[in-house]
Each structure stands twice: as structure tokens, then as C-alpha cells.
Amino acid sequence: MRNRQFATGALALGVILFVDVLRVWLPGIITIFGQAASTPAELMGAFALAWFVLALAAPVLVGRLGAGPVTVTAGVVLAVARLALTAAPGGRIQLWLATAGLLAGLVWLSATATTTARPVPGLALGLAANAAGHALLDTQDLVWRGGWAGWLGSVALVALYLTALASRTATPHGSDPPGAPTGPAATAGSGDVASPYASGRAAGAGGVRAWLLAGPALLLAGMLALSPALARTGTSYLVSGDGVAGSPLWGLVPLPVAVAGFLLAALTRPAGGPARAVGPVALLAGAVLFALDRGDLLVPAMLLAAVGLGACLALAGAGTLDRPGEAGDDRRRGYAAAVGMLVFALGAVGYYSAYDLGYPNAAVPVSVALLVAVVAGTTRPASRTAGRPVPVRTAVALTALALLTPVVADGVPVASNRGGPPERLTVVAYNVRMGFGLDGRFDLSGLAGIVSRQRPDVVLLSEVDRGWLLNGGHDTLDLLADRLDMPYVFAPAADPVWGDAVLSRWPMTGPRTLPLPAVGAPTGAQALAVTLDLGDGVRTAVVSTHLQPPPGEGPVVQARAVADFAVGYAAGRPLVVGGDLNTEPGDEAFGEFTRVGLVDALAAARPLGTSPADDPRNQIDHVFVSPGLTAAGAVAPRGTASDHLPVAVTVTLPPR
């Protein structure tokens, strides 16, 4: 029993380290291997998938060298790579360190599978603890935090994992030798969380199916079911409604509920009879709601998916072997783990590459959820349908742990307008590339620093990511808003967690979003309009947008739509329009804004290059104002916290 507990702990801690590495490696595909959207999506996808295909050889390696040496070696490499990433300077070094950690993690997982027939407790605890830890860190990983706190947390996590790994391998046969009993006699009086798998028969088939679902479960947990960033984004939509999201009042409230539901469903003996279908149906329902691309459905989608995913893992792990004692179960489990992680890679790459290749991606989470549901729902249940569930003390402890996840009540600090409206506003427009700098590091400090030095009143952000797994699952907008101490309004473009935002020191009212025609562009686009209430009845309209040009053309159609929308929304009030417009002064798309009477606020400072950030030769980030406003002091401050430079300008309001 003691060895099984060490095995569960080692698997859970290993999952946490592995997900940490994935959160560095996945965005590295775009920000380091891919170069400013010039690297073909097919090439990036091939690079990503190649490592998962290579890991299919892991069971062969185990067969030749033995499970123990392979597990320990791969586990140590995973731990070292994870620790090294804390010190990585970015660039190619970071990418290859993360790739080494990825491959080591894949081999470790497959090797662990060969000696572990009951993986669900370790997998479930690892996924839940990782989600809770990410929430405690406010969705910013220890890897990116640096400083003594980042190092202390990283060293402690690695030390715990290596201790558990060493303890697990200190006794012969690991945790679950093939053919080991899994019935009540194996767990009686132990309080072991593996009790849902009580059966007098070998657990080979159940183990194979559970390991096959490890990769899909990791994908669905990170994309949907256990994502702290998605929880916060979902609550922010519930605050604002009308297709836009505001600074949330309830922060991460859905996450502890999702984590608790997931744990209890995963670690409790699954029901028999027709009730077995509840988990698969709940998972599919959550995936379908998520695929509808509606912000107000994110919270119910997350909660349904969390409980459904936990129940499906429990079903898959509770299966029995049709031919007990059959040789080869260990290798089949190893291949199942490797194939499951290949499903993870195909799902992750397939979902996000749709924005480059132009096919609909809503079917990806639904298809993966359907796979999980079918594998879990068709698992042959153990011969004994009755059995002891997880002990009450264990269930209570796990639920309490989940509920300790902080419920952040985000404040909405705004400047007082009781003294009357200001005479001028400083506006900053910035394409933040999901928070990743030119070196491929998640650089919130760099972004916040370059913006705050301009002392802005209004900030218009493009390429804002609020939870994409491919970018690490961060809520970049909320993290940046906290550092700038400014509330925000967010509008979706590609999907509910990727789009544009307005941050303001003054109260914002009347938000509206206009989806823009795609006209062949790979990523969706929109225009977000808000009204600044400056006091004494003075109001100024602000529009944030990010135009997406179709291949080989300018964004003329979108520019015309934004210009007309902005002028109509302002209805004669002072107006500011800005963002990454992907057009140069003098281009036809640029002329659409001047056609409606708007003035180039950066004209006096031209030429004013903004892209790429390390060699700004393209003038594609702009601010336009209505004729009654006077612009001065336009700059594009240098920095490499994004692949664009921000533009800043001070606008003097008309006299009252």
C-alpha cells in the first residue's frame, strides 16, 4: 500500500511538471520556431507532431532496457529540464530545453504506464493540483515569474517529485505489477484512493483504457474543464453580457467548483446501469457548449466538462480484463499512453492551426470529448458492481483542498470624475502578441512597463489571449490590467478567449462589438466600441480593433466596416479609433478612415515604424481621432516585449 501511495504521488507530481513544460513548449512553437506568422502552419504542425510520434517508441525502449531505468532516467531529465526553464533566457535555448522536457515527459509517462495499471488517482490528482496551483499563481506559471519566489517554488516542486520517484522505484516491481490483485483485499483498511477499481480480476483492460485517455484528458482539462483562465473569462462575460466581457466581479469562483466536481467524480466508484451514461453525456454537453463560441456559456461548459471528464476517467479505470493474467498488458498500457498523448497533440495543433489554415475548428473539442466518452462508456465494468467508494475523509479532504483555491474578487478601480472632465487623454495602442516577447518568454513586466511609462488614460490592446492552451492558458488581459491598475472591456475575435480590449482609468459605458467580415483572413476580427464617461456630461467614444488582411491584399473591406461603425457609434461625440490596422499610410485601407473624416493622430511623427519590434520599418499600428480633437506627442517607444511597438499620443479634448 505504501508503494502504491508513492506511485500515485509520483504520477501526480510528474503530471504537474509535464504540464508546466507543455506551457512553455506549446507557445514556443509559435513565438520561437514560428517567426511573425511567416513560418508555414504546416511546418509548425509537423515540428510539433514529430516529437509525439517519436515517443511511440518508448514501450520498445522499456522492453529492451527495463521499465525502472527508463522511468527514472526520463523522469530525472523531465525534472532537470523543468528547472532549467526557470533560468532559460528565451530563444532557441528555451525551445530546445522545453523540447527535451517534452520528449522526456512523454517517455516517462509511457514507461510509467507499463508498471501502473491503476493510473486514474494519480492522473486526476495531478490535473486537479495543477489547475489549483495555476489559479494560486493567478494563471502565471512559476517558470515565468523568476526571482526568488519562482526559483523556490520550482525547486520545491522538483524536489518533491524526485523524492516520490525515488521512493516509488525503491521497491521491486513499481506500483502495479501485471496481474496484481485489485479487489477489496488489496485496498481494505488502507484508505487508498484507488478503491474505485476494486475487482477480483486483473485490471489490464481498465488500465489500457485509462492510459489511452490520459492525453485527451490533459487536452480537455487544459482547454476547458480545469482552466483557471477560462473560469475568470467566463465570469467576466456574465458581468457584461451583450457579447463583450468586463472586469469580473467573481474572479475564479467556478474553478474550485469544477476541481471539486472533477475529483469526486474521478475518485468515486462509478455507478452501474443506465447511470453510467451520465458522465459521458455531461462531458459531451460541456464540449458542445464550448464549441458554440459564446462567452456566456463558458462557465456551464466548464462545470459540465469537469464533472463529465472525472466520471469518464473513473469509468475507464474501473474496467476488467477479459482474459485475466494475459501477458503483454504492460506494453499495451505503454502504447496506450503514447497514443493518447498523440491525440493530445493532434487536438491541440488541429484546433489552433485552423486560424492559419482556415477550416472550422469547433469540432475538435467535441471530437476529443466523444472519443473519451466512447472509450469510457464501452469499458466493461468490474465483476463486482458494488464496492466501497472513496473514504469520506478522503473525499472531504480533496474537496476542501479544491475549495482553498482563491476566489478572486476583481476590483474595478476608476479615476474620479467628480472634479470634472480632464482636458486631455493619453492613448496607447498596442498589439501584445498574447503576452510573449521576441525572445519567446511570457513578459508581463515588459508589457506593463512600456505601457505604464506613457502614463496612459486609455489603452487599446490587440491579440489579447485569455486562456488558449497553446499559449500556456494564461489570462493575459487580467494579468496586465492588474499591473496597470485599470479595468477593462474585452470583445472576442477568433473565439471567446482571443480578441481585443480597451482599458481605461475613466468609467466605460455602452460597450458594443461588431464582428468583421473575414474576407479570406485566417483569424476572426472585430471592432470594440466603448464610451468614456469623463464627468459633467462629457463623453468620448473609443474604438479598438485589429484588422486581418486577406492573403496578398489589404484589409480594405474590414477598414471600411470599422470606419463606418465607429462614426455611427460616436454619433457626433469626440472619437478615438486605434489598433493594429495592418495597413500603411497612403494605402487604400488607410484611406477608409480618412474618408469618413477621421484624422491621423500620428501624422506629425511620421515615419513611425512599429513592426517588427527589433527593426520597426512598417507603419501598421495607428490612432485616428475626430476633427475636434488635437493630437500631440506621438511616439512609438522601443521594446521587445511583443513583436510590435506600441504607439502613444496625447489627445486634447474640445473646450467645453
Side-chain angles (χ1 to χ4, degrees), residues 102-134:
L102 168 76
L103 188 57
L106 292 170
V107 173
W108 162 80
L109 195 69
S110 186
T112 299
T114 64
T115 58
T116 307
R118 293 181 293 270
V120 172
L123 291 173
L125 290 172
L127 291 173
N130 188 272
H134 212 219

Side-chain angles (χ1 to χ4, degrees), residues 106-197:
L106 292 170
V107 173
W108 162 80
L109 195 69
S110 186
T112 299
T114 64
T115 58
T116 307
R118 293 181 293 270
V120 172
L123 291 173
L125 290 172
L127 291 173
N130 188 272
H134 212 219
L136 285 167
L137 295 169
D138 202 21
T139 77
Q140 183 185 5
D141 310 299
L142 281 172
V143 170
W144 305 121
R145 284 180 175 264
W148 68 268
W151 274 105
L152 182 61
S154 297
V155 169
L157 181 60
V158 167
L160 281 173
Y161 167 69
L162 291 177
T163 300
L165 182 65
S167 300
R168 180 191 190 280
T169 56
T171 55
H173 307 302
S175 64
D176 292 318
T182 61
T187 59
S190 67
D192 179 23
V193 294
S195 57
Y197 313 103

Side-chain angles (χ1 to χ4, degrees), residues 284-461:
L284 279 170
V288 169
L289 290 181
F290 177 73
L292 292 177
D293 277 351
R294 284 182 47 182
D296 58 339
L297 296 179
L298 291 181
V299 170
M302 178 181 185
L303 297 178
L304 283 170
V307 174
L309 182 61
C312 285
L313 285 177
L315 286 170
T320 63
L321 182 64
D322 292 334
R323 295 179 297 277
E326 182 180 351
D329 282 341
D330 53 351
R331 182 168 293 190
R332 280 195 289 272
R333 290 194 299 271
Y335 279 119
V339 170
M341 287 308 302
L342 182 58
V343 172
F344 167 89
L346 288 169
V349 172
Y351 185 85
Y352 299 108
S353 64
Y355 294 113
D356 289 313
L357 301 180
Y359 58 84
N361 61 2
V364 172
V366 177
S367 298
V368 175
L370 180 62
L371 170 66
V372 173
V374 168
V375 171
T378 58
T379 301
R380 181 178 177 181
S383 56
R384 300 184 182 186
T385 57
R388 185 183 64 176
V390 176
V392 172
R393 65 180 184 275
T394 304
V396 170
L398 292 173
T399 305
L401 176 65
L403 293 174
L404 286 176
T405 302
V407 178
V408 179
D410 293 86
V412 187
V414 293
S416 171
N417 56 14
R418 293 181 180 178
E423 295 182 355
R424 57 186 61 86
L425 297 172
T426 298
V427 180
V428 173
Y430 201 0
N431 180 325
V432 296
R433 195 170 78 148
M434 293 81 68
F436 288 88
L438 286 180
D439 58 1
R441 293 184 62 81
F442 190 59
D443 192 6
L444 287 172
S445 296
L447 290 172
I450 196 171
V451 172
S452 62
R453 283 192 292 272
Q454 309 309 311
R455 302 178 64 85
D457 297 290
V458 185
V459 181
L460 314 179
L461 298 180

Side-chain angles (χ1 to χ4, degrees), residues 16-172:
I16 294 172
L17 287 182
F18 190 28
V19 174
D20 275 0
V21 170
L22 281 169
R23 286 201 181 107
V24 178
W25 182 78
L26 286 169
I29 299 171
I30 298 174
T31 61
I32 302 174
F33 184 83
Q35 296 296 319
S38 61
T39 305
E42 298 88 345
L43 181 59
M44 289 191 289
F47 173 82
L49 293 176
W51 305 103
F52 291 84
V53 172
L54 183 62
L56 291 173
V60 177
L61 192 65
V62 169
R64 292 185 177 182
L65 302 179
V70 174
T71 302
V72 171
T73 302
V76 170
V77 173
L78 170 63
V80 171
R82 165 62 185 84
L83 200 57
L85 285 171
T86 306
R92 296 283 176 176
I93 294 176
Q94 176 181 300
L95 177 62
W96 290 116
L97 278 174
T99 302
L102 168 76
L103 188 57
L106 292 170
V107 173
W108 162 80
L109 195 69
S110 186
T112 299
T114 64
T115 58
T116 307
R118 293 181 293 270
V120 172
L123 291 173
L125 290 172
L127 291 173
N130 188 272
H134 212 219
L136 285 167
L137 295 169
D138 202 21
T139 77
Q140 183 185 5
D141 310 299
L142 281 172
V143 170
W144 305 121
R145 284 180 175 264
W148 68 268
W151 274 105
L152 182 61
S154 297
V155 169
L157 181 60
V158 167
L160 281 173
Y161 167 69
L162 291 177
T163 300
L165 182 65
S167 300
R168 180 191 190 280
T169 56
T171 55

Side-chain angles (χ1 to χ4, degrees), residues 511-617:
R512 283 182 55 194
T513 180
L514 174 72
L516 300 178
V519 291
T523 307
Q526 66 81 52
L528 168 63
V530 300
T531 297
L532 306 185
D533 182 357
L534 304 177
D536 291 350
V538 176
R539 291 175 171 81
T540 297
V542 174
V543 175
S544 175
T545 190
H546 178 195
L547 303 186
Q548 298 285 331
E553 301 179 27
V556 179
V557 174
Q558 291 184 350
R560 183 179 302 122
V562 172
D564 293 338
F565 167 72
V567 171
Y569 177 85
R573 293 170 295 178
L575 171 64
V576 177
V577 180
D580 176 4
L581 304 185
N582 275 307
T583 184
E584 295 265 4
D587 288 350
E588 185 179 358
F590 189 93
E592 289 296 327
F593 293 95
T594 58
R595 173 186 62 83
V596 295
L598 297 178
V599 178
D600 179 7
L602 311 180
R606 303 236 183 248
L608 195 64
T610 60
S611 176
D614 55 347
D615 182 20
R617 56 186 180 273

